[in-house]
């Protein structure tokens, strides 16, 4: 049982789940949600008044019910005008869950199905709701290349460039991959007592939560004490929406003058926090006969939900990753996000690039397939086309042809080593020949006979993981690290809690530089109120930047410790000169502090009898600078692969017994590598499955019967060639 803190505000961390905590005389809360997606609440009543229970709504908020964000105002409680199904109308609070559930069953909510915007008209009789409620789209448009240069009063345009290309491929893709994380659900415990608020929460953005709580309760920030509890999740919604939940529970505790705890159910977590929606892509590539890209067009669209504080950054990151690792003479990228009467879109900000990589890597493979269907042409390998079009700062011509530039460490060597270790080319030749043979004689294509060789395919993908996006409004503040050499000779690294692997790396690094025993180096995760990290905690898990800052802090202490009085505290920030590599206004330049690179192959085998697939082998090769702990790095990649595999098919756990992981030798600073598997494994898997089926699959995750449905579709097309041609 936690004890409330007294005195000045403080930020502390404890290794307990919020759901396991309790306080004396604590009440329990459940969220009252709207059953309709739009309209106005006209009345709330109860068939039965349950003793001890209370309904907390927007009327009970002592401060502001609207919170500021980079993308507009966000409601703590629904103010009467409903935005989506499940929007929080209030909290039902009571001394035990039995009473609360009984009160919930007796609750009656009446609505007018015409939203308030419809009643707001301007003098011309037209709706004025959009101006007030901000129902427009978010969009990022990028056009670059000679085809957009004005000549004789008009520009040629990307479509004309695509029309003139010797080889042209176009496809539509859908990506909704959301790895399941069966972690603790969101929840908060609050206690308002003696004019101060104590909060126990797994919030990963404490500075934002304190600011919101102060606004909602009309309370000085130094009256808010926060204990950060254990948490495993970091989707965009869990980063910012936990602050909204904390505000709701804090209002209930403020109103009732008793501790209140709210814990989301697993269903609520999936419906309102981890609610990934499809991102849809249309890609068109135009190339010469050798596969050199002359024109690249990508259009992406996504449903932003009712609101999302990260939506501007989400569409920007999708746009930057839209070209993946490749360059073209002419580029057109358009990304749109449209608001809707649905819960806020949830995407892990560390994984947002993976959607664009999925589309572009599959588009590049479709280009390879088209080149291999040209008459009288030799077989083209996927890695050859990738290397031919690689967009890297190592290429001197790169800056003249693309709006974005990336440092892709040892990318060509990484791909070459992978192809050698996985024997990709030989397998690709054989599986491609078998696929063509099955296409020529469809009756043998999916024969259930045990004498027919298994149907196999192999796919390849490459990708980078960008570390610290310079254009971020959320993460764009200066990252800094503070290190203190104490009077007793011990070392304290001031940081939010880290993973075991990163903590081990930091301690070993500091120990080597300062010649201090590892046992005398500690991570100090406690902060005085107001001095907590400004950025979300995920910024401090960024090993590529934070390790550099740690090195600088330790080297400064090493130079000063002989003459300085202890304790000696040193702070270092990310150098602002590095940010100048990115021009946010023109939206071009080098968007990331650094990049790691990976290439992967996935080999699959189809079982026609059960219409299912099996992954035979996965090979992944990674170039990520210096690997300080190879065992931990491999464990991280292996865990990431297992998470990806578990999400490839809905309702099915895909496994692979043979996973080969290798790292390129690097002597530079260590880079982020934990998310690389999400950039390469999904598209490599889909390409392998598409080769085995002899037709291009275009979405992930698959349904349980997707392979069966695709085979039936192929059978129908084979029976009616005219329909297939159309």
């Amino acid at each position: 049982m936690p004890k409330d803190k007294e005195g000045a505000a403080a930020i502390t961390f404890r290794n307990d789940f919020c759901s396991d905590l309790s306080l004396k005389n604590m009440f329990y809360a459940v969220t009252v949600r709207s059953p309709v997606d739009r309209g106005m609440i006209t009345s709330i009543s109860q068939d039965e008044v349950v003793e001890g229970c209370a309904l907390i709504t927007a009327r009970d908020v002592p401060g502001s019910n609207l919170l500021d964000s980079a993308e507009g105002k966000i409601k703590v409680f629904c103010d009467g005008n409903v935005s989506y199904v499940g929007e929080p109308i209030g909290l039902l609070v009571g001394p035990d869950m039995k009473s609360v559930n009984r009160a919930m069953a007796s609750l009656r909510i009446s609505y007018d199905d015409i939203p308030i915007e419809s009643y707001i008209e301007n003098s011309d009789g037209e709706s004025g709701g959009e101006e007030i409620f901000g129902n427009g789209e978010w969009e990022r448009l990028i056009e670059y290349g000679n085809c957009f240069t004005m000549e004789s009063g008009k520009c040629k345009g990307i479509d004309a460039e695509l029309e003139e290309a010797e080889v042209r491929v176009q496809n539509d893709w859908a990506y909704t991959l959301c790895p399941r994380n069966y972690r603790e659900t969101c929840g908060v415990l609050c206690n308002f007592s003696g004019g101060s608020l104590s909060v126990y929460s797994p919030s990963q953005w404490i500075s934002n939560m304190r600011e919101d709580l102060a606004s909602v309760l009309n309370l000085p920030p130094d009256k808010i004490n926060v204990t950060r509890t254990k948490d495993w999740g970091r989707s965009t919604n869990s980063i910012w929406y936990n602050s909204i939940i904390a505000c709701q529970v804090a209002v209930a505790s403020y109103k009732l003058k008793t501790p209140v705890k709210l814990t989301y159910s697993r269903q609520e977590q999936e419906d309102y926090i981890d609610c990934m929606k499809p991102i849809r892509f249309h890609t068109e590539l135009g190339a010469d006969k050798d596969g050199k890209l002359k024109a690249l067009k990508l259009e992406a669209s996504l449903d932003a939900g009712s609101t999302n504080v990260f939506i501007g950054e989400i569409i920007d990151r999708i746009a930057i990753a839209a070209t993946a690792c490749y360059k073209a003479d002419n580029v057109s990228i358009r990304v749109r996000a449209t608001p809707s009467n649905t819960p806020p879109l949830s995407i892990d900000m560390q994984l947002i690039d993976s959607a664009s990589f999925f589309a572009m890597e599959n588009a590049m493979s479709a280009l390879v397939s088209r080149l291999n269907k040209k008459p009288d042409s030799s077989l083209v390998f996927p890695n050859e086309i990738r290397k031919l079009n690689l967009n890297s700062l190592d290429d001197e011509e790169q800056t003249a042809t693309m709006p974005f530039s990336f440092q892709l460490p040892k990318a060509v060597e990484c791909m070459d080593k992978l192809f050698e270790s996985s024997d990709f080319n030989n397998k690709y030749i054989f599986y491609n020949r078998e696929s063509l043979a099955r296409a020529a004689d469809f009756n043998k294509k999916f024969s259930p006979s045990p004498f027919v060789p298994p149907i196999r395919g192999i796919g390849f993908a490459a990708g980078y993981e960008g570390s610290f996006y310079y254009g971020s409004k959320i993460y764009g503040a200066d990252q800094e690290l503070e290190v203190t050499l104490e009077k007793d000779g011990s070392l304290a690294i001031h940081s939010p809690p880290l993973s075991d692997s990163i903590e081990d790396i930091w301690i070993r690094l500091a120990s080597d530089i300062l010649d201090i025993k590892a046992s005398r180096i500690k991570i100090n995760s406690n902060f005085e109120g107001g001095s907590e990290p400004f950025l979300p905690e995920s910024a401090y898990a960024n090993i590529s930047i934070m390790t550099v800052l740690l090195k600088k802090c330790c080297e400064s202490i090493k130079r000063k410790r002989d003459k300085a009085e202890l304790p000696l505290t040193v702070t270092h920030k990310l150098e602002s000169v590095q940010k100048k590599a990115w021009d946010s206004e023109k939206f071009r330049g080098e968007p990331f502090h650094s990049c790691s690179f990976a290439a992967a192959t996935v080999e699959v085998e189809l079982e026609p009898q059960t219409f299912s697939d099996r992954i035979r082998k996965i090979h992944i090769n990674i170039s990520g600078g210096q690997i300080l702990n190879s065992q931990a790095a491999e464990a991280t990649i292996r865990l990431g692969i297992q998470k990806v595999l578990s999400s490839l098919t809905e309702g099915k756990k895909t496994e692979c017994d043979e996973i080969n992981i290798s790292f390129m030798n690097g002597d530079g600073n260590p880079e982020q590598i934990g998310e690389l598997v999400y950039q390469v494994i999904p598209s490599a898997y889909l390409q392998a499955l598409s080769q085995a089926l002899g037709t291009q699959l275009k979405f992930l995750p698959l349904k349980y019967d997707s392979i069966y449905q695709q085979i039936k579709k192929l059978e129908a097309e084979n029976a009616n060639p005219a329909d297939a041609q159309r």
Side-chain angles (χ1 to χ4, degrees):
M1 178 178 294
K3 294 181 179 180
D4 282 341
K5 299 174 283 295
E6 297 180 356
I11 309 298
T12 58
F13 294 77
R14 59 183 295 157
N15 197 32
D16 295 297
F17 288 111
C18 182
S19 56
D20 294 332
L21 302 179
S22 63
L23 291 172
K24 187 178 180 180
N25 300 322
M26 185 178 76
F27 273 36
Y28 297 84
V30 295
T31 307
V32 179
R33 300 184 180 277
S34 168
V36 298
D37 64 353
R38 58 186 300 170
M40 288 191 298
I41 301 172
T42 56
S43 67
I44 302 176
S45 60
Q46 286 183 283
D47 295 339
E48 174 190 3
V49 177
V50 181
E51 185 178 355
C53 292
L55 176 63
I56 306 298
T57 67
R59 294 181 179 180
D60 298 302
V61 176
S64 174
N65 189 52
L66 294 174
L67 299 174
D68 289 322
S69 79
E71 302 298 339
K73 299 285 187 179
I74 298 175
K75 293 181 282 187
V76 176
F77 289 115
C78 175
D79 54 7
N81 189 52
V82 176
S83 302
Y84 62 92
V85 173
E87 182 177 10
I89 295 171
L91 297 184
L92 259 177
V93 184
D96 56 75
M97 286 304 299
K98 183 178 180 181
S99 299
V100 172
N101 289 333
R102 203 170 87 215
M104 179 69 81
S106 71
L107 202 64
R108 298 291 177 263
I109 305 173
S110 299
Y111 298 88
D112 180 344
D113 59 5
I114 301 177
I116 193 172
E117 300 99 298
S118 300
Y119 292 102
I120 302 175
E121 296 185 350
N122 58 29
S123 58
D124 297 326
E126 297 178 352
S127 174
E130 288 190 10
E131 181 179 348
I132 296 176
F133 297 98
N135 293 325
E137 289 186 340
W138 294 269
E139 181 179 280
R140 173 64 71 180
L141 174 64
I142 302 164
E143 295 179 332
Y144 196 80
N146 290 332
C147 75
F148 298 105
T149 302
M150 295 295 292
E151 295 181 2
S152 302
K154 63 179 182 178
C155 64
K156 185 177 182 180
I158 194 70
D159 291 330
E161 197 72 31
L162 287 164
E163 287 284 349
E164 295 175 3
E166 294 178 81
V167 182
R168 182 181 182 183
V169 292
Q170 52 184 318
N171 292 97
D172 294 302
W173 316 96
Y175 185 86
T176 326
L177 211 60
C178 184
R180 292 290 181 184
N181 291 298
Y182 294 103
R183 56 184 182 266
E184 185 199 32
T185 58
C186 284
V188 177
L189 167 59
C190 291
N191 184 26
F192 186 83
S193 176
S196 296
L197 177 71
S198 295
V199 182
Y200 301 86
S201 166
S203 172
Q204 298 173 62
W205 199 3
I206 291 175
S207 64
N208 178 69
M209 185 175 72
R210 277 169 52 85
E211 182 180 330
D212 289 345
L213 286 166
S215 173
V216 169
L217 294 184
N218 198 20
L219 198 68
D222 61 4
K223 294 294 184 181
I224 300 172
N225 302 288
V226 179
T227 297
R228 161 69 158 82
T229 57
K230 194 174 181 179
D231 177 60
W232 297 108
R234 64 173 196 194
S235 69
T236 60
N237 283 7
S238 67
I239 289 176
W240 68 270
Y241 202 78
N242 204 271
S243 295
I244 305 297
I245 300 172
C247 290
Q248 294 167 354
V249 179
V251 170
S253 181
Y254 179 91
K255 174 77 174 179
L256 302 176
K257 301 298 185 289
T258 187
V260 177
K261 182 168 79 170
L262 171 67
T263 302
Y264 270 26
S265 68
R266 178 61 56 189
Q267 192 63 52
E268 285 180 304
Q269 184 78 17
E270 293 181 0
D271 290 345
Y272 306 111
I273 303 299
D274 301 329
C275 47
M276 175 73 170
K277 301 180 179 74
I279 303 177
R280 304 188 185 281
F281 295 88
H282 174 77
T283 59
E284 295 188 45
L285 303 182
D288 63 19
K289 59 182 178 59
D290 297 319
K292 183 84 163 54
L293 289 177
K294 298 299 181 181
L296 186 160
K297 179 180 180 180
L298 181 142
E299 296 178 344
S301 61
L302 62 154
D303 179 352
S306 62
T307 185
N308 189 303
V309 302
F310 291 121
I311 193 61
E313 185 164 336
I314 287 172
I315 64 171
D316 284 353
R317 291 288 296 271
I318 290 175
I320 290 171
T323 60
C325 302
Y326 313 112
K327 61 183 178 182
D329 293 342
N330 299 278
V331 175
S332 174
I333 299 168
R334 186 188 298 270
V335 183
R336 288 193 183 99
T338 306
S340 67
N341 294 94
T342 60
L345 167 72
S346 178
I347 299 177
D348 190 331
M349 287 302 294
Q350 305 302 114
L351 304 182
I352 183 60
D353 299 343
S354 63
S356 292
F357 275 95
F358 171 78
M360 265 305 296
E361 284 300 307
N362 280 300
M364 291 294 284
S365 287
L367 174 62
V368 173
S369 297
R370 180 64 59 84
L371 290 168
N372 284 331
K373 289 181 180 179
K374 293 181 66 179
D376 303 324
S377 64
S378 58
L379 189 65
V380 176
F381 293 106
N383 64 321
E384 294 175 354
I385 298 302
R386 262 63 168 208
K387 289 192 289 186
L388 178 65
N389 294 288
L390 194 65
N391 177 19
S392 175
L393 281 168
D394 296 333
D395 182 352
E396 295 181 357
E397 297 180 0
Q398 187 280 134
T399 54
T401 58
M402 290 294 289
F404 312 129
S405 55
F406 310 100
Q407 188 72 54
L408 305 179
K410 298 184 177 180
V412 173
E413 296 93 326
C414 187
M415 287 189 279
D416 289 342
K417 182 180 177 181
L418 173 78
F419 273 65
E420 181 181 350
S421 63
S422 65
D423 195 25
F424 180 89
N425 284 353
N426 287 332
K427 290 179 178 179
Y428 184 81
I429 292 171
F430 180 77
Y431 297 157
N432 192 65
R433 185 187 302 133
E434 289 296 302
S435 180
L436 293 174
R438 289 193 300 271
D441 189 354
F442 186 84
N443 292 327
K444 293 182 180 179
K445 189 166 190 175
F446 299 104
S447 171
S449 170
F451 303 105
V452 175
I455 302 170
R456 293 175 179 172
I458 191 167
F460 164 79
Y464 64 79
E465 179 180 348
S467 181
F468 193 84
Y469 169 46
Y470 289 134
S472 175
K473 293 180 181 178
I474 306 299
Y475 295 84
D478 287 337
Q479 284 187 248
E480 65 178 27
L481 187 67
E482 179 183 289
V483 180
T484 300
L485 182 63
E486 305 288 1
K487 288 184 178 181
D488 61 0
S490 64
L491 192 75
I493 303 172
H494 216 201
S495 165
L498 306 166
S499 67
D500 291 340
S501 60
I502 294 180
E503 183 173 334
D504 179 62
I505 289 171
W506 281 22
I507 290 175
R508 286 171 53 191
L509 184 63
S511 176
D512 290 343
I513 295 174
L514 294 172
D515 195 24
I516 298 175
K517 290 183 179 180
S519 60
R520 294 179 60 75
I521 302 174
K522 303 295 182 184
I523 306 297
N524 180 4
S525 297
N526 294 328
F527 298 84
E528 294 182 0
S531 67
E532 68 274 4
F534 178 76
L535 299 174
E537 282 179 33
S538 55
Y540 287 82
N542 189 319
I543 191 171
S544 62
I545 293 178
M546 300 310 294
T547 301
V548 172
L549 296 182
L550 178 60
K551 281 183 178 180
K552 290 182 177 181
C553 288
C554 291
E555 288 167 354
S556 294
I557 289 175
K558 185 177 181 179
R559 291 192 303 269
K560 298 176 181 179
R561 65 179 170 184
D562 291 337
K563 299 179 181 180
E565 182 179 347
L566 300 184
L568 172 60
T569 298
V570 174
T571 302
H572 274 281
K573 294 183 178 182
L574 180 68
E575 295 179 7
S576 58
V577 67
Q578 293 174 281
K579 295 184 178 183
K580 294 180 180 178
W582 174 251
D583 188 330
S584 293
E585 185 176 341
K586 294 182 179 179
F587 203 69
R588 63 168 298 169
E590 191 174 354
F592 300 112
H593 171 268
S594 56
C595 294
S596 55
F597 182 84
T601 63
V602 175
E603 189 176 353
V604 303
E605 182 175 292
L606 288 181
E607 298 179 7
Q609 296 92 336
T610 60
F611 300 104
S612 63
D613 66 293
R614 180 176 72 88
I615 298 181
R616 300 184 71 243
K617 295 180 182 179
I618 292 175
H619 287 261
I620 183 168
N621 192 23
I622 293 170
S623 178
Q626 184 182 8
I627 303 297
L628 299 176
N629 187 332
S630 57
Q631 192 173 21
E634 181 172 337
T636 297
I637 297 301
R638 196 171 295 274
L639 177 61
I641 291 174
Q642 296 298 341
K643 286 184 177 181
V644 171
L645 296 185
S646 68
S647 60
L648 292 175
T649 303
E650 293 180 358
K652 173 188 172 184
K653 185 177 180 181
T654 305
E655 296 179 343
C656 178
D657 296 329
E658 188 172 341
I659 299 175
N660 300 283
I661 301 169
S662 59
F663 299 95
M664 301 291 291
N665 293 325
D667 52 6
N669 290 318
E671 305 293 348
Q672 290 289 102
I673 61 172
E675 321 303 346
L676 282 169
V677 295
Y678 297 91
Q679 321 292 48
V680 294
I681 298 297
S683 49
Y685 164 76
L686 200 70
Q687 291 164 36
L689 197 55
S690 297
Q691 186 185 53
L693 284 168
T695 186
Q696 179 67 60
L697 295 174
K698 299 181 179 181
F699 61 92
L700 278 181
L702 301 176
K703 305 289 186 181
Y704 73 95
D705 63 344
S706 290
I707 295 176
Y708 170 78
Q709 294 295 342
Q710 192 62 40
I711 290 174
K712 291 303 176 185
K713 179 181 177 181
L714 291 171
E715 289 177 347
E717 291 175 353
N718 184 69
N720 300 282
D723 291 343
Q725 184 66 30
R726 284 197 295 270

